[in-house]
Structure formats: structure tokens, C-alpha cells
Amino acid sequence: MRNVSPAAFLIFYPFPTRQQLTFTLTRHTSSLTHGAATPIDVVKTRIQIDPALKGLSLFTGGRQIVAAEGARGLLAGFGPTAVGYFIQGGGKFAGYEFWKKQFVELLGDQDKAVQYRLPIYLGAAAVGEFFADILLTPLEATRIRLVSDRKYATGLVSGFTRLAREGGIRDMYAGFLPILCKQIPYALGQFTVNEYCHELVYRQMSEERKAHLSRTENISISLGSGIIAGFAAAILSQPADTLLSQINKGHGPQGSMGHRLVQLSKELGFRGLFSGLGPRMYMTAFLVSGQFAIYGAVKHALHAPPGVEIHKD
């Protein structure tokens, strides 16, 4: 396992067949949950980049979009959202499980792994997310263009084709640094907070009680932990999410990406960087809790081997 090339992680992690099937179904889960959250994402993005909607609440912004563009306006960018997170979702979950196992094996001792579980959680989430984002970035760039300009293209294929034709690799990956700054903190909050929430719950139980939890109880723990992890993921990644929307809309000065991000941050200020946080917290709580609950249920249904556990007793 240690001899697998890092480039291969873009496509395949060397897990047993049942776990591979679990991650494949997780791709569908990520696609389904992100696709279902498209209306919230549309309103959040428009609040970030449309001066006419700046500062509005989720419901007020949504009403204005429907009044001006019809209900279809809330589904702008559905295609790249569903496809992008189908690709990214399985890779992120597989990457986290794989790298957590690798880091635990690197330490060579379970007690040490428990002691250093926080760096393990953070490192596994960051590395897994990095590789997944290489595939996500062009589709996220397409999504933001479709949401911000209804005349840009009619859907995923035409939008992606236009982006590739007019901007090439440069524009397709113009948002790669911002998306890393967004998605890696998101993954850190998502996986690390979820692990600690589970640890806190399990610490209140005996080993016998933990071993005989019902399916409903396991799903409830996953949902509750996921909601809290979703809030954390939203807050940690919100400034970069706002900057990503601005970059893909073409805002900001010319120059290197670092220079553009610094200048946009100064222009937006603290409040501007957290514009749209309310809608996004609702969205991420729904996404993360749904993903963890379905992921756990799928693993249980397929009798997939559990991941490496390094919770503190």
C-alpha cells in the first residue's frame, strides 16, 4: 500500500472491494445532497456577488431571485454542482480514511496515535481534500459562472465547454488556490469536529452499550455530530468561499492570485468576507449530516470493515 503513487490517489485508493463500493455510493450521496442544496447555494452565491442582494437573508434573497427569474433561477448551476461533488465526494471520504490509516501506521503504536489524533485528523482531511479538489475546481468555476450570469450558458456541458474554450486551463484553475483555502478548512471542520463529537458521545457509554447500538441510534449520532461539524465547516471556510465567488466572477485587481486575494480581502472587510454565512450554515449542516448518516448506513449495510478508530476512552 505504501508503494502506491500519489498520482493514483486522484482516481483510486487501494481499499478492499466492499469499501470501494461504499465510496462509490458515497459519491452518489455527495452528488444527491449537494444537488438538493442547489437553491440554498444559489442564494448564498448571489448574496456574495450581486450588489442588489447584498446583506439580505436567505428567504428574502430567495424570494427576490424567484420574483425576477422564476423558480428555475434557484436551480442555476445544478449540473456542475451534482457532477463536481459526485467526483469530489467519494475521493474526499476515501482519501480521509486512507490517509488516517497511513498516519496511524507511520506512528506504529495505537497509544501514540490516540495521543496525536488531532494532527492525524487534520492531516488526513487536508491531504484527501487536496487531491479531490484538483477534479472539483473546473466544475466549481463553471457553477459560479452559471449562477452569477444566467446568460453565460444553458447548462453544464455548454458552460464547461465555453469556459474551456475561452479561458483554457488558466481560467478553469484560476480558483484553485481559493478553493483549496475554502475546501481544506471545510474538510478540517467536517472530519475533525465529527470525530470529536463521536468521541464525546461514545465516552459516555460502556463498551457493551457501544457495541449494541441500534441502527437508529447510530444514525442519530451521525446526524447530530454532522450538524455540529457542518456549522464548524461553514464558519472555517466562509471567507475563502466568498473570495472564490469573487474571483470566478472576475472581481479584484490584476496580478498574482495571492495579490488578488489580499486586495479583495481588504476591500470586503470582515463583514464582507462572512457575507452569506447564514444560508451557508443551513446548507452545510444539511450536507455534512446527511453525508455522514448515509455513509455510515451504507457501510453497515455492506458490512464494510470499519475505519481506523483512535478515539480517546
Side-chain angles (χ1 to χ4, degrees):
M1 188 178 295
R2 293 176 183 276
N3 294 325
V4 176
S5 166
F9 299 146
L10 296 178
I11 303 171
F12 177 77
Y13 284 92
F15 283 104
T17 302
R18 289 191 179 187
Q19 281 182 288
Q20 288 289 347
L21 182 56
T22 300
F23 297 131
T24 298
L25 293 174
T26 301
R27 292 177 188 271
H28 291 282
T29 299
S30 296
S31 178
L32 177 65
T33 53
H34 276 86
T38 296
I40 302 175
D41 206 16
V42 167
V43 177
K44 179 269 300 179
T45 302
R46 292 285 292 274
I47 288 173
Q48 290 173 331
I49 63 178
D50 188 342
L53 299 178
K54 184 176 181 181
L56 296 183
S57 68
L58 171 65
F59 300 105
T60 304
R63 283 201 301 267
Q64 290 205 14
I65 292 172
V66 171
E69 305 171 18
R72 291 186 62 185
L74 295 177
L75 293 177
F78 174 82
T81 297
V83 174
Y85 286 95
F86 171 82
I87 294 171
Q88 184 250 15
K92 176 167 68 172
F93 276 82
Y96 177 73
E97 294 278 11
F98 177 83
W99 287 107
K100 183 169 72 167
K101 185 174 187 295
Q102 293 297 103
F103 293 149
V104 169
E105 290 179 354
L106 186 64
L107 286 174
D109 180 82
Q110 179 71 13
D111 291 337
K112 278 189 177 180
V114 172
Q115 181 182 353
Y116 294 106
R117 64 194 184 285
L118 177 57
I120 290 173
Y121 295 152
L122 296 175
V127 178
E129 185 66 54
F130 175 84
F131 287 115
D133 289 346
I134 294 174
L135 300 177
L136 174 66
T137 299
L139 290 160
E140 182 70 0
T142 304
R143 180 194 72 81
I144 290 176
R145 282 164 172 79
L146 291 174
V147 171
S148 61
D149 182 0
R150 294 301 310 280
K151 298 179 180 179
Y152 183 78
T154 58
L156 168 60
V157 176
S158 58
F160 188 86
T161 302
R162 178 178 175 181
L163 175 61
R165 182 180 66 249
E166 296 180 357
I169 294 295
R170 180 176 179 178
D171 279 6
M172 291 170 71
Y173 281 92
F176 184 55
L177 179 59
I179 210 169
L180 287 178
C181 293
K182 165 195 169 184
Q183 289 296 128
I184 288 180
Y186 184 102
L188 300 183
Q190 176 183 3
F191 288 107
T192 305
V193 174
N194 179 68
E195 292 275 16
Y196 275 102
C197 285
H198 275 80
E199 179 179 314
L200 184 63
V201 172
Y202 291 150
R203 200 180 291 173
Q204 313 307 313
M205 304 178 184
S206 66
E207 286 298 320
E208 182 179 358
R209 176 76 177 91
K210 180 180 171 183
H212 291 88
L213 288 171
S214 68
R215 182 175 299 185
T216 300
E217 288 172 323
N218 276 313
I219 291 175
S220 298
I221 293 170
S222 293
L223 284 172
S225 299
I227 289 171
I228 298 171
F231 287 153
I235 294 168
L236 289 172
S237 62
Q238 181 63 23
D241 183 69
T242 301
L243 291 173
L244 177 64
S245 296
Q246 297 286 334
I247 289 292
N248 280 315
K249 183 62 176 174
H251 295 171
Q254 297 298 314
S256 68
M257 183 56 64
H259 173 71
R260 293 178 69 189
L261 292 174
V262 170
Q263 292 304 311
L264 278 171
S265 297
K266 290 180 179 178
E267 292 174 14
L268 292 168
F270 182 83
R271 291 188 63 181
L273 287 172
F274 283 90
S275 177
L277 177 60
R280 192 155 178 268
M281 288 182 70
Y282 286 117
M283 181 181 73
T284 55
F286 165 75
L287 293 175
V288 174
S289 60
Q291 287 169 5
F292 277 125
I294 298 174
Y295 177 60
V298 168
K299 288 184 72 173
H300 182 271
L302 294 176
H303 303 289
V308 176
E309 184 177 297
I310 48 175
H311 296 156
K312 186 176 181 179
D313 294 329

